[in-house]
Amino acid sequence: MSDCIFCKIVEGEIPSTIVYEDDAVVAFEDLNPQMPVHTLVVPKKHYDNIGDGIPDTELGAVFNAANKVAAMKGIAESGYRVIVNTNDDAQQSVHHLHVHVLGGAPMNSGSPALDEAD
Ligand code: AMP
């Protein structure tokens, strides 16, 4: 059995607030939101990060789902960021590929929205 926390969320073994799901991905609310909207989109299949040889179809599914989440949350027009932290310098803390969908308020120009979270 995997120790990966996001695999457990995908499998429904630990609770989460799921906002979108399809054959390839699950989107759920971040436990520690950094913005009014802070949703994570993960592939159902485990990949450590974006450099883990992800097929184009699955990578596309993740980003298309991020766009759907933004529309569902009403931030597609006002604006949002999609952030993919990868490995140590980027402070990736959960090693199951995930994209952060962040929005609902103005963000600083060019500064990574999650910098102040750590
Ligand atoms: P990262 O630093 O990019 O690896 O982001 C991991 C994110 O996962 C953080 O924003 C955490 O708040 C979030 N997180 C960790 N555990 C959970 C959980 N059980 N449910 C929802 N979000 C989580």
Side-chain angles (χ1 to χ4, degrees):
M1 187 59 70
S2 168
D3 280 337
C4 171
I5 194 162
F6 287 175
C7 283
K8 290 183 176 177
I9 286 176
V10 168
E11 295 299 325
E13 292 171 10
I14 62 170
S16 66
T17 303
I18 292 176
V19 300
Y20 175 79
E21 181 170 6
D22 62 28
D23 288 347
V25 311
V26 175
F28 52 92
E29 303 296 19
D30 196 291
L31 204 57
N32 183 25
Q34 305 300 310
M35 292 287 293
V37 173
H38 189 169
T39 303
L40 303 174
V41 183
V42 308
K44 287 184 170 177
K45 187 171 173 189
H46 182 96
Y47 298 98
D48 288 346
N49 58 45
I50 202 168
D52 197 13
I54 307 161
D56 290 352
T57 49
E58 280 182 81
L59 206 50
V62 168
F63 281 88
N64 280 325
N67 188 51
K68 284 179 186 159
V69 165
M72 290 168 60
K73 294 284 184 178
I75 58 169
E77 299 302 322
S78 55
Y80 60 100
R81 284 193 179 141
V82 176
I83 293 179
V84 187
N85 294 324
T86 305
N87 288 333
D88 292 347
D89 279 358
Q91 309 283 339
Q92 182 182 6
S93 61
V94 178
H95 293 272
H96 179 131
L97 173 68
H98 53 282
V99 305
H100 298 256
V101 180
L102 295 149
M107 287 170 261
N108 291 337
S109 169
S111 69
L114 299 183
D115 265 357
E116 293 170 9
D118 301 313

